[in-house]
């Protein structure tokens, strides 16, 4: 497994995801999404795995602007420009990904 956890330092679910993998002795790479963001390739892999609408953090300050954008391409650009609008944690294992706390899915990655 090659786990990457993209999260925000104040996100409770990000901390729970990190604890999940630590307790199982699974090494992971933690990336501060607000500092580093997602590359276009990472973004596309996550989008393909979970869908664009699942990536949007409706509770993020200012994220309502995404509802006014007519095209998905415009929403994607806005998410890449402002990673604060991306729901966390984004947990990647190669081409597989989840958004949020999903230990049931992560268990299937271990096998």
């Amino acid at each position: 497994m090659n786990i990457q956890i993209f999260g925000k330092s104040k996100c409770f679910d990000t901390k729970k995801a990190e604890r999940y993998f630590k307790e199982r002795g699974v090494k992971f790479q933690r990336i501060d999404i607000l500092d580093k963001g997602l590359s276009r390739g990472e973004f596309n892999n996550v989008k393909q795995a979970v869908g664009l609408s699942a990536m949007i953090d409706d509770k993020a300050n200012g994220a309502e602007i995404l509802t006014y954008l007519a095209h998905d391409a415009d929403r994607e650009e806005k998410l890449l420009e402002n990673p604060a609008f991306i729901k966390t944690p984004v947990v990647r294992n190669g081409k597989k990904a989840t958004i949020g706390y999903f230990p049931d899915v992560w268990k299937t990655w271990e096998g």
Side-chain angles (χ1 to χ4, degrees):
M1 278 195 301
N2 185 19
I3 302 295
Q4 292 179 308
I5 301 175
F6 293 85
K8 301 170 189 165
S9 60
K10 295 184 180 181
C11 173
F12 184 65
D13 282 344
T14 297
K15 291 175 184 173
K16 286 186 352 185
E18 290 174 358
R19 187 170 49 244
Y20 173 88
F21 289 105
K22 278 181 190 172
E23 288 173 354
R24 283 152 186 80
V26 176
K27 292 184 180 187
F28 60 89
Q29 179 184 14
R30 188 202 188 292
I31 298 121
D32 185 339
I33 199 165
L34 299 177
D35 185 39
K36 302 283 186 199
L38 289 168
S39 72
R40 185 164 300 277
E42 291 165 337
F43 182 89
N44 288 335
N45 285 339
V46 173
K47 182 181 76 168
Q48 190 170 2
V50 301
L52 183 63
S53 60
M55 295 179 71
I56 298 171
D57 185 356
D58 298 331
K59 296 175 185 160
N61 194 13
E64 60 276 354
I65 191 158
L66 296 171
T67 60
Y68 298 111
L69 298 174
H71 303 288
D72 282 349
D74 295 334
R75 286 188 195 97
E76 288 178 27
E77 286 304 316
K78 191 56 82 174
L79 286 171
L80 284 165
E81 287 172 19
N82 193 342
F85 295 161
I86 299 174
K87 189 181 280 185
T88 56
V90 176
V91 182
R92 287 188 62 223
N93 180 20
K95 299 267 185 201
K96 300 173 189 170
T98 60
I99 302 258
Y101 184 72
F102 286 101
D104 293 339
V105 174
W106 304 333
K107 282 180 193 170
T108 66
W109 294 354
E110 294 173 26

